Every structure is written in C-alpha cells, then in structure tokens.
Amino acid sequence: MIFLWKSYSIRVGFLLSTLILMGQQTPKSDSPTQAISLGIGVLEQATNLKKTGRYREGAQKSIEAAKIFYSDGDWDTWGDSYEEAYQCALLCDSLPLYKWMLSQFNLVDGDALISKNSPIHPHSKAVILGRIAFLNHIIGNYELAANYYDKSLPYAEQGADTLQLMRYYDSAASLFWLLGDDYKALRYDEKALSLASLKKDTARLAIYTINFGNIWRSIDPRRSVSIYLRAIELMPDYAEAHTLLSKAYLEGEKNLPEAWKSAQQGLKLAEADEEKSDALHQLGRVSFEQKKHEQALNYYDQALPFAEKGYGKHHPECTKIYVFKGHALRAQNKYMAALAAYNQTLQDLLPLFVPASPGQNPTEAECTATSLWILEALQGKAQCYQAQYNQTQDIENLRQSLECSELGLTYLNKIKLRYGDDESKFSLNNYYFGSLEAALHTAFQLRQQTGEVQYAQRAFSLSEQTKAVVLAESLFKKDMKGLLGVPEALLEKERTAHANIARLELKLSQADNPSDQALAKDSLFTATRAKEDLEQQILQNYPAYSDAIFGYRAAISPDTVRQQLEDDTALLEYFLGDSSIYVFLISKEGFWAEEQALPPHFDQTLSQFLHSVNNWKFATDSAAQAEAVFKENGHALYQILLEKALAQTSAKRLFIVPDGKLSLVPFDLLLTQKYDGHWVDREVPLLIKTHAVSYRFSARKQPSSPHKATKGWGGFGLEYDDETLSAIEQPKDNNSGLALRNFGKLPFADDEIMAISNLLGGAFWLNKDATRDNFLENAGNYGVLHLAMHGFVDEKNPLHSKLLFSRTAVDKDPFVYASDLYNLQLKAGLSVLSACQSGTGTWKRGEGMMSLARAFAFAGCPSVVMSLWNVSDESTADLMLGFYRNLKAGLPKDEALRAAKLKYLQQASPEYAKPIFWASFVPIGDMDAMPTDAFSGGWSWVWWGVMGFGLLLLGWVFWRYFGRRK
C-alpha cells in the first residue's frame, strides 16, 4: 500500500531543527518604544526562566509580555514575545503545554490583526500564523495546520526573512506530504533546500534533505535511498534518518536485510520516545514482510507506549500503529481483533466516531479529520470483511466491506479537493485502484448472492467516481466562479497566473544548464505561490463558492445518466481492472452490468489490434499480415467488449466511456462477426455500419459554459514552408511516402480550410497568417474551431503536447501547447482537431487520456473531434468536408462523422479504404446537433469575392452607360 510509509517523527524533526538553530532568530529592533516598555522586563524574566529550564513559566511570562506590547502597539516585540513562548514550549516538549500555547496563539488570530490595513509588520503576522500552523502540525491537526500555512506564507514572503522562510517552506512541505499532496510538497522542499544551500547551513540542509527523501519515497522509493544516505553523511547520528532509510529499502526494491539493519541502527541511536517508537514500528514492518506476523505484533506493541508518550494517544503517528496491527492480525485470520485495531485508529482520529462494536463503521459526517491513515483503516476494514466472508460465507460481511470501500472513496475525493497539484490527485487515484477493483468485485458478489440490482448500480457509481474526476472538478470550479459572483477581473487575474506558470514550466523544460534551471525553478515557485494565494483569496472572500466546492461530489447514479439520454442512445462505461473488466450499459430501456474475467491474452489481443490499425509502416508495408491481425482481433474485442451489452439494447448511437488502453480503441472498427474477406471490402462487418460511436470523458454530462455561446466558424490551416518546418525534427522514415500530419508540408491542409469556409462561411487564417498569436487572440471569438496542422504528443509531459502554427520573426516558438489551452476561456461548442494524435497522450488512472482534446475540453469546448493516431493529409481533407456538410444538414455530431466515414468508404480506392486512412477521427463530448445558426457570423472568402466582383461590374456599367454622357 502506497501510503503505509507516510510517516516520520514530526516532533523530533521540528525539535531537532529548532534546537540546532537556536539563536538564529530575527533580531529585535531597538526602537524607543521597546526601551521604555514595561514589557521588556517581563520578557527578560521569560528569557531567564527559559535559560534555567523552567520552560512552562517562561512560556507564561512571554505571553504576559506579549499582552503588554499589544496594548503599547509595539508590534515587532509583540511578535517576538510569541516566538519566545513558542521556543519555551518546544524545549519543554509537552503536549499539554503545546495545546495551551495553541489556545494562546488562537486568541490573537483575528481578521483585524492580519488584515491588509493592520499596522502589524508582515514578519510578526507570519510569526503568529506560522506558529499556529506548527503547533497544529505537531499535535496532529493536519487540516488546520495546512490552512494556517496557507495564511502565513504570503506574510513570510513579504517579510523576506530567509531563515523564517526556510523553516516555513520545509515545514509546509512535510505537512503537504503527510496529507498526500506529494508534488506540492516537492516544490516547497526544493525551495527550502535551495535557500539552505545558499546559506551553507549544514544542519538545516540535513533536515531538509531527510524531508526531501520522504517526499521522493512517495513518488519513487528507490530514488529516496540515495537521498537518505546523503542526509546520514551530513548527520550520522540522527536516529530517524536510519529508520527512514530502512523504509526506503523496504518500499523500493524490498531489500529486507538492509531494511532490518537500518532499522536496528535507528533503534540503537534513538533517544527520544518518538525515535524509539518509529524504529520499533519499522522493525515490526520488516518482520511482517518476512511473514513473521507474531514478531511483527510484538514490535508494534513495544512501539505503542513510546508513541503515546512522545506523540500523544490521538496523534496520527501513534494511531497509525493500530493499522499495522490490523494487517498482522488479519494475516493470522484473527478478523475481529483486526477490525478492533482498525477501529482504534478511526476512533482516535475521528472525534465524533464512538463505535459500539468493532463491526461499526463511521458515517460520512463523522469523517471530519484529514489523515491518510483514516483511508488506510477503512481499506483495511474492507479487506478484513472480505476475508471474513471468504471464511464464513456470511453475506453481511460483504455488505460491510462494500460500505467501507464506498466510504473510503468518498473520503479520498474529499482529500483531493484540497490538493494543490493535479499530479498528487493522479497519484492518489493509483493508490486506491486496488481497493476499488476489490470493491467492484464485492458489489457484483452481492448482486449475485441477492439478485438485487442496487449492488450493480453501486458498482457503477464506484466506477464513475474514477472517470475524469479532476477534469470534472476543474470545470465545476470554473463554472461556480462564474455563477457565484467572482468578478471577471479576478478571474482574468487567475487566468494570467495560470498562463505565467505554463510559460515558466515550458521554460524550465527547455533550460539546458543548471543555473538556468535553478532560475526557472525559482521563478516557477514564486508564480505558483502567487496563484495559490489568489485561489485562497477567492475561497475566503466568496463563501458561496467555497461552500459549493467543498460540497461537491463526483458520484452519479444510473438513473441520472438515463434521464440525460435520448431514446436512440446508450452509454457504455468500462472499468478495466487487473483481473476483470466491468461493463455498464445505460439506456432508456434500462440498466445492465457485467463482471467478466479478463481473457488470458486480452492485453495481447488489444495491442495487436491497435498495431494493425494505427501503425502506418505495418498497415502499408505488411498489409496482408496487418489485415489478418485486424480481422482476428477486431472480432475478438467485439465479443469481449460489446456483444453481450448490445444484445440488451436497440439503441443505434453509443456513448463510450473507456478505461485504460480502451481509450485508444476506435470502436467503429470492431467486427460484429467473423469475416473471411478483405478489410477493404464494401461488405466488411464493421460496427460503424450499424452504430454511431462517440466517446465521453465520463458519464457526467459536461456542463455548459456560463458564458454566452459564440457563433461562427473559425479555421486555421497550414501548408508549411521550410522556415516553419525547421522548428521540428523531420523523421528519416517517411512511411512509404505518405503525407501525414505529423511532418511534411501538408499540401491539403489549407485547401481543407478553404473548402469548409466556402461551405459554411466564417473566418480563417492560412499559412503565414495561421500564427500562434492569431490563434490565442481569436480562438475565443468563434462557435466552431477547426485546426488543420501538425500535432505532436509529449508523453513525458502531456502539458507540452502541441500544435505547430506558422513561424514568424516575432514568434520564435510557433507552437500552441496544451498548457496554453488550459488557460483559455473558449466559447466554442465544437473544436475539430484535424491533426495527428490529438486524442492520445499519457493515460492517467481514473482520469483518462491527457491529450490535446482534453485540453480543449478544459478550455470550455463541450465537443471535440480528435484523432487516435497519425492521419493522412489527403484523406483527412475529404473526410472533414463531408463531416461539415452533414453537420450543416442538421445531423448530430456523431451521426455526421459516421455518415462522412461511410461515404468516404463508398468512394475510396481499395488502398485508401484501409482503416488507418479514415478511422482515426472520433468525436468526444456532447453529441447534440449544432444549432441552426451555429455557423453564422461571417462570410466566406468566396462570397466576399463575389460581392467584390459584383461591385466592380456595377461600377463599370455605371461608367459605361452614364459616364460617357458628359
């Protein structure tokens, strides 16, 4: 389980870094006000008490001094007094004193004190808010701590105190990591490390390196080993570093001997209770991996007293040990004891949850705290109930297991709402995947045992909550900002911030040397902080928006989907697990679901089919072999994916919500029956012959933009010149001389734009005029966008996937990137991406394909026509013109594209009838017909030409018959 290692000694880390760095506080000013203040004497008493080890009295005297400085308006020393009190509390290291200190700090956390008009210096504001964050962090109130870090950092950055900033960045990083927001944590800790390196501060560098290793242990445990070893070089006797190194060995390459050795060294060096707890706990984990379950339980039991004394009974670092006890007990088939252990974690972390028995689960309302250990405990309970059912066949255990899984998924989505980085959300999806597949299996077991359809419906709801959730949340947020009164000026500021971040991310990826990389990274961090501050400002100043966001739920029922469907449509959603595939069909006729064990060679069948239809070299140079592979695997996939489902409905329009590699499958091409002829025959039994197929990111209908819809068609197309083509590397293999839209001049692209404009009217930018700037300035003005050009996929960084526009002297970079599109506010009802691979990219579990098409959807386009592989320049031009003719005639988008493809097949020569030439383009999103006036709003160049010629002719006639009379 990915988050089992989300732990390290927080309080030990804080204490060590603070004690090492005592005396590095910001100097007090020697203002006249301080010199005469009565508070100076009281503050000196506090300092003397601290020196003699009377920390409690010192903290109390510091607070007393702070009250005097507050009444004098001496804000600098007021903040210093609270800092002194905080240092006393750290040296005392007592949970009761921490809680008392927190109550004193909370008394001064008022809007009046931290408002823009407050006379308090930003440094002092940062001290108060930052220490509230630290205290909540130490106590284990992670959600509150995160909120206060968000409040404190802008003031710390205004104060420009390097030492304070280092502490805050690193502490915030460790908290974001504990909450699972790994990539945000990575940014913050990199910033702390860079400041410590500039200061040549070895002690801080060691602590920050350890935290850096923790974050990388989340992302890639193998990489964290070398990071921990570097920290141990800086601080050889730090017990926690050795314990953490043990975790890296355990979680990366499963090097159990080294994991055991490092954990023992951690225990040998341990002095603080927290260090002893962590080392003993880790020895238990290594024992568990060695299948020594009784030994593991013994170590966990030894760790608990130290954890309770050091951390406190209700601290996550203490309560997590019960999760591991639960795992060990479950491995011994001691299910009731395991459930009790998991519930102990939940009870200690959730103040409202008081279970009457080990079998009781918390309600959603009782899940008020934020901790990944709550999620771990819920998953553990679900697995325990399932194992207990396997032993007893008591169906109640299945119900309990499903309930825990559903609650876990709801809780997971709640956690993700506060994440600042999409990559962290994707990582959390990966983490929960195994539990989710198990939950779907449980739901279908209940369906089989009870005959109740509700369990299949609940399985669909689980599946749907993993489909483009981040995209849905992002669109929901954009819509809510527009609907709930956030000013357009503030939204424009937010868009500018996002665009600045995209620019800097691209600059960082293109930086060649370490100094340029460091500068770009630093600028990117500053820009990201500014964006996060802006987001917090919107949340705080517009409570209706805040309420809407944190009340958002991604779940949807089959009945809700059915109400959105027309009579002739059906929605098919897939969940592709490791061992099974789940199929859900929703239509006006009803709801149908199936759990099907994956055939042994399913991956091979799928890969071979895709290879036969999307690989130009194979399809053209080895056509006979490709044809055989296509026919065999195309029908096999139809039997697996569609045959049973389509028997349940008479609908002829299919909305497909794919999963995993299915996102690359052109369902049009699946063969509805075995066929012995050729794949270019008119009679080949393709699915497109009987059904119109389109795709959706999820079963949820993408919301309409709150902005007024725009009309008119806008096209961009290029027949490239050599100057622009120099921006890309031309491949040596020209795929048998075929002109594809991933390289070459594209002689048909500009013709395609002109032909469509002649049909529809509108405006267009061709060749030299089809520039990046013209697109970015004009794309928001049209109801339909059409782009005929080169497209390129960046699988390492999907935000860098791009479209190649014309190169100019001004535009040194002629590309429009996916990241540019994410920052646009498009009003088009349809975007047609007549380019290569515009629907492909990196697949993210639970989110789908991170493609250019997704970027257009995020920018506000509810419908996109995209390509699944490199497309032919000539056949694409023919296909697109037919598509628009059908749209203009009033056909729905999916039917319009289907009719265009069928007509193309009727007219194409055998060579050009191969699937690779015509089947790449598929529609995704809303498939409603375009409004009758959708293409109005401009005249085509032909009509302007006719009008111009008519005016010239009229002028000549006027001169011929009237001018001569003079």
Side-chain angles (χ1 to χ4, degrees):
M1 290 187 179
I2 246 172
F3 288 114
L4 292 181
W5 29 252
K6 288 272 185 184
S7 61
Y8 77 110
S9 181
I10 301 168
R11 280 174 52 199
V12 170
F14 277 6
L15 284 169
L16 182 60
S17 60
T18 301
L19 291 170
I20 288 171
L21 302 156
M22 290 288 282
Q24 296 188 15
Q25 307 296 323
T26 303
K28 298 180 178 65
S29 61
D30 294 322
S31 67
T33 304
Q34 285 184 344
I36 62 173
S37 172
L38 295 175
I40 290 292
V42 179
L43 188 57
E44 288 177 351
Q45 293 177 39
T47 303
N48 291 331
L49 288 166
K50 183 180 75 173
K51 287 178 180 178
T52 58
R54 297 165 65 185
Y55 303 126
R56 294 177 188 274
E57 295 94 327
Q60 292 168 349
K61 279 292 180 183
S62 298
I63 296 297
E64 184 181 332
K67 293 177 180 177
I68 297 173
F69 293 127
Y70 178 80
S71 63
D72 286 349
D74 185 352
W75 303 117
D76 287 343
T77 320
W78 170 79
D80 291 336
S81 298
Y82 275 100
E83 177 66 18
E84 187 73 6
Y86 174 78
Q87 298 299 333
C88 288
L90 282 179
L91 289 167
C92 182
D93 192 23
S94 161
L95 283 175
L97 185 57
Y98 285 137
K99 292 179 179 179
W100 178 81
M101 277 298 311
L102 185 57
S103 69
Q104 296 302 309
F105 273 85
N106 283 334
L107 289 175
V108 298
D109 173 32
D111 291 338
L113 292 177
I114 61 172
S115 69
K116 289 184 178 179
N117 299 324
S118 169
I120 303 174
H121 190 273
H123 171 75
S124 296
K125 293 180 184 179
V127 166
I128 300 299
L129 295 170
R131 291 323 189 191
I132 294 174
F134 287 161
L135 287 166
N136 277 299
H137 193 160
I138 292 171
I139 292 169
N141 300 331
Y142 293 159
E143 185 73 20
L144 279 173
N147 291 336
Y148 277 101
Y149 280 130
D150 285 335
K151 286 183 180 181
S152 67
L153 279 165
Y155 296 115
E157 288 161 349
Q158 288 176 39
D161 181 338
T162 302
L163 292 174
Q164 185 183 56
L165 278 173
M166 279 194 287
R167 291 196 302 267
Y168 283 27
Y169 288 148
D170 178 68
S171 299
S174 66
L175 177 70
F176 295 141
W177 170 72
L178 284 167
L179 289 170
D181 200 346
D182 298 325
Y183 289 87
K184 183 175 181 178
L186 192 63
R187 294 198 310 270
Y188 277 70
D189 210 59
E190 284 178 336
K191 184 67 174 176
L193 277 168
S194 67
L195 291 175
S197 297
L198 289 173
K199 286 284 185 181
K200 297 182 179 179
D201 190 330
T202 303
R204 286 190 186 277
L205 201 57
I207 297 296
Y208 300 168
T209 300
I210 287 170
N211 292 345
F212 193 58
N214 290 333
I215 298 164
W216 271 106
R217 191 154 51 87
S218 284
I219 300 169
D220 183 357
R222 291 169 296 183
R223 179 168 176 175
S224 66
V225 170
S226 62
I227 299 173
Y228 288 135
L229 288 172
R230 188 160 65 245
I232 290 172
E233 288 179 9
L234 294 169
M235 195 180 294
D237 295 331
Y238 185 22
E240 197 66 26
H242 292 276
T243 301
L244 291 167
L245 177 61
S246 171
K247 294 181 181 182
Y249 282 129
L250 184 66
E251 294 152 11
E253 297 179 353
K254 295 280 185 189
N255 189 334
L256 296 183
E258 287 297 327
W260 182 263
K261 178 181 175 183
S262 297
Q264 284 185 316
Q265 182 67 12
L267 182 61
K268 179 180 177 182
L269 294 170
E271 295 180 0
D273 291 325
E274 297 91 340
E275 292 175 324
K276 293 174 183 176
S277 167
D278 291 345
L280 288 165
H281 173 212
Q282 179 60 14
L283 287 169
R285 287 191 58 197
V286 179
S287 299
F288 181 84
E289 289 295 329
Q290 294 170 332
K291 310 298 183 186
K292 299 175 182 177
H293 301 134
E294 196 60 41
Q295 180 175 298
L297 284 168
N298 183 46
Y299 277 118
Y300 296 150
D301 286 336
Q302 290 182 56
L304 272 170
F306 291 110
E308 290 177 358
K309 185 179 177 183
Y311 291 113
K313 181 174 174 56
H314 296 281
H315 193 285
E317 291 297 300
C318 177
T319 62
K320 74 178 186 188
I321 297 175
Y322 288 104
V323 170
F324 289 93
K325 283 195 67 174
H327 296 341
L329 290 165
R330 193 178 82 231
Q332 295 178 320
N333 300 328
K334 298 176 181 178
Y335 300 124
M336 293 307 295
L339 289 171
Y342 293 131
N343 259 16
Q344 189 65 54
T345 295
L346 295 171
Q347 186 173 355
D348 287 343
L349 291 177
L350 300 173
L352 301 180
F353 178 52
V354 184
S357 69
Q360 184 175 336
N361 297 323
T363 64
E364 183 180 340
E366 289 171 335
C367 292
T368 54
T370 302
S371 171
L372 291 170
W373 295 108
I374 295 172
L375 191 59
E376 288 283 356
L378 289 171
Q379 287 178 280
K381 289 192 73 175
Q383 292 165 359
C384 196
Y385 283 125
Q386 178 69 54
Q388 199 166 11
Y389 167 78
N390 294 339
Q391 186 180 74
T392 66
Q393 298 299 300
D394 182 355
I395 197 171
E396 185 59 29
N397 287 315
L398 285 181
R399 292 193 178 98
Q400 289 276 45
S401 179
L402 182 58
E403 181 182 312
C404 284
S405 297
E406 289 173 326
L407 181 60
L409 184 56
T410 299
Y411 185 75
L412 175 141
N413 287 330
K414 175 185 175 182
I415 293 174
K416 287 195 297 186
L417 279 173
R418 73 150 294 113
Y419 279 11
D421 196 295
D422 283 352
E423 284 296 329
S424 299
K425 298 180 182 183
F426 302 150
S427 177
L428 205 55
N429 287 340
N430 287 334
Y431 153 68
Y432 200 71
F433 172 75
S435 296
L436 185 57
E437 183 177 6
L440 288 170
H441 177 65
T442 300
F444 274 90
Q445 280 183 299
L446 283 164
R447 163 73 180 277
Q448 184 178 14
Q449 292 281 342
T450 66
E452 296 179 25
V453 71
Q454 62 143 320
Y455 292 111
Q457 293 172 335
R458 288 164 71 175
F460 169 77
S461 181
L462 286 167
S463 171
E464 178 58 22
Q465 288 183 74
T466 67
K467 296 295 186 291
V469 177
V470 175
L471 176 62
E473 287 175 5
S474 299
L475 292 171
F476 180 75
K477 288 178 180 179
K478 288 174 71 173
D479 289 346
M480 287 301 101
K481 287 172 185 173
L483 295 172
L484 297 177
V486 180
E488 179 57 34
L490 195 56
L491 296 179
E492 181 58 35
K493 189 176 180 181
E494 185 182 43
R495 286 192 288 270
T496 301
H498 280 278
N500 189 33
I501 289 170
R503 178 182 60 80
L504 290 169
E505 285 178 337
L506 183 62
K507 187 175 181 180
L508 176 60
S509 71
Q510 296 172 341
D512 294 328
N513 58 69
S515 60
D516 288 345
Q517 290 172 358
L519 181 61
K521 190 172 288 188
D522 191 63
S523 299
L524 180 58
F525 180 84
T526 302
T528 304
R529 280 289 308 127
K531 181 206 73 172
E532 290 168 348
D533 292 344
L534 189 60
E535 290 171 348
Q536 285 302 311
Q537 179 185 341
I538 294 173
L539 284 171
Q540 292 170 12
N541 296 343
Y542 300 91
Y545 168 71
S546 179
D547 292 344
I549 294 307
F550 289 101
Y552 173 74
R553 289 289 179 270
I556 190 171
S557 69
D559 286 340
T560 303
V561 176
R562 185 183 297 112
Q563 292 169 11
Q564 300 171 353
L565 296 175
E566 297 177 12
D567 291 340
D568 62 338
T569 61
L571 181 136
L572 270 164
E573 178 164 308
Y574 296 90
F575 183 95
L576 190 58
D578 289 334
S579 58
S580 299
I581 183 169
Y582 298 86
V583 187
F584 304 94
L585 175 77
I586 303 173
S587 68
K588 288 295 184 180
E589 297 156 314
F591 171 74
W592 176 86
E594 181 190 46
E595 177 187 36
Q596 178 185 167
L598 280 177
H601 305 295
F602 177 76
D603 284 345
Q604 182 180 353
T605 299
L606 183 57
S607 297
Q608 288 181 348
F609 174 77
L610 292 175
H611 187 65
S612 72
V613 300
N614 66 22
N615 186 285
W616 280 93
K617 187 173 182 60
F618 184 53
T620 54
D621 293 355
S622 305
Q625 184 182 353
E627 179 185 73
V629 170
F630 167 79
K631 290 189 298 182
E632 179 182 353
N633 295 289
H635 182 56
L637 286 176
Y638 175 82
Q639 290 177 303
I640 297 168
L641 300 175
L642 288 172
E643 191 168 54
K644 291 182 182 178
L646 293 187
Q648 315 301 317
T649 179
S650 60
K652 296 302 180 184
R653 295 174 63 199
L654 303 178
F655 298 154
I656 306 289
V657 182
D659 193 28
K661 270 191 172 183
L662 299 183
S663 301
L664 298 174
V665 174
F667 279 71
D668 275 353
L669 290 178
L670 299 186
L671 297 173
T672 58
Q673 60 189 50
K674 280 188 174 294
Y675 186 66
D676 294 328
H678 296 292
W679 60 351
V680 296
D681 293 345
R682 298 284 189 259
E683 300 79 19
V684 61
L686 302 171
L687 182 66
I688 194 175
K689 302 286 184 66
T690 56
H691 292 79
V693 177
S694 64
Y695 298 77
R696 286 190 176 183
F697 295 103
S698 73
R700 293 176 296 274
K701 192 168 184 179
Q702 185 173 324
S704 301
S705 171
H707 301 276
K708 186 176 180 181
T710 308
K711 299 174 183 177
W713 178 89
F716 296 81
L718 293 94
E719 180 175 352
Y720 291 96
D721 56 27
D722 292 334
E723 181 183 359
T724 299
L725 288 177
S726 66
I728 59 175
E729 183 178 349
Q730 297 294 301
K732 295 178 181 178
D733 183 3
N734 195 25
N735 286 309
S736 305
L738 296 167
L740 305 181
R741 289 197 173 171
N742 67 332
F743 60 87
K745 291 183 178 292
L746 304 190
F748 293 94
D750 55 349
D751 297 339
E752 176 182 320
I753 295 295
M754 288 190 292
I756 296 169
S757 177
N758 186 30
L759 174 70
L760 303 177
F764 55 81
W765 289 261
L766 295 179
N767 303 326
K768 283 291 186 181
D769 293 326
T771 64
R772 168 188 165 88
D773 283 348
N774 275 338
F775 173 78
L776 296 177
E777 290 171 10
N778 294 284
N781 299 329
Y782 295 91
V784 180
L785 289 172
H786 188 100
L787 291 85
M789 57 189 57
H790 285 315
F792 303 93
V793 172
D794 189 328
E795 293 188 353
K796 291 184 178 178
N797 190 339
L799 290 177
H800 294 164
S801 294
K802 56 199 176 185
L803 296 163
L804 178 60
F805 285 76
S806 180
R807 195 171 206 166
T808 67
V810 177
D811 297 328
K812 293 183 179 179
D813 186 349
F815 296 104
V816 168
Y817 297 88
S819 56
D820 293 318
L821 297 164
Y822 276 90
N823 299 312
L824 295 180
Q825 185 63 60
L826 298 178
K827 301 173 187 176
L830 170 66
S831 290
V832 180
L833 309 183
S834 186
C836 288
Q837 302 184 76
S838 53
T840 68
T842 302
W843 181 75
K844 299 288 186 182
R845 191 182 298 282
E847 196 59 29
M849 200 62 69
M850 309 301 288
S851 63
L852 285 165
R854 184 184 189 273
F856 273 88
F858 186 91
C861 291
S863 310
V864 181
V865 172
M866 61 185 185
S867 59
L868 297 180
W869 56 79
N870 292 334
V871 297
S872 163
D873 184 35
E874 183 176 1
S875 60
T876 294
D878 293 340
L879 196 62
M880 289 301 168
L881 186 59
F883 170 62
Y884 278 107
R885 286 197 184 102
N886 298 330
L887 276 184
K888 189 177 181 182
L891 289 180
K893 302 179 190 77
D894 52 344
E895 291 280 11
L897 188 56
R898 172 178 179 256
K901 289 178 177 179
L902 291 175
K903 185 173 181 180
Y904 172 90
L905 284 175
Q906 290 174 358
Q907 299 174 345
S909 65
E911 176 64 24
Y912 283 85
K914 293 175 182 175
I916 200 165
F917 282 96
W918 60 269
S920 176
F921 286 102
V922 296
I924 187 168
D926 173 55
M927 290 298 115
D928 291 347
M930 298 295 292
T932 54
D933 59 350
F935 302 112
S936 64
W939 284 1
S940 74
W941 65 276
V942 173
W943 291 112
W944 281 113
V946 170
M947 175 178 266
F949 179 77
L951 289 173
L952 287 173
L953 182 62
L954 185 62
W956 181 83
V957 170
F958 184 88
W959 174 81
R960 178 80 170 80
Y961 290 100
F962 297 100
R964 288 186 172 187
R965 290 186 181 181
K966 293 181 179 179

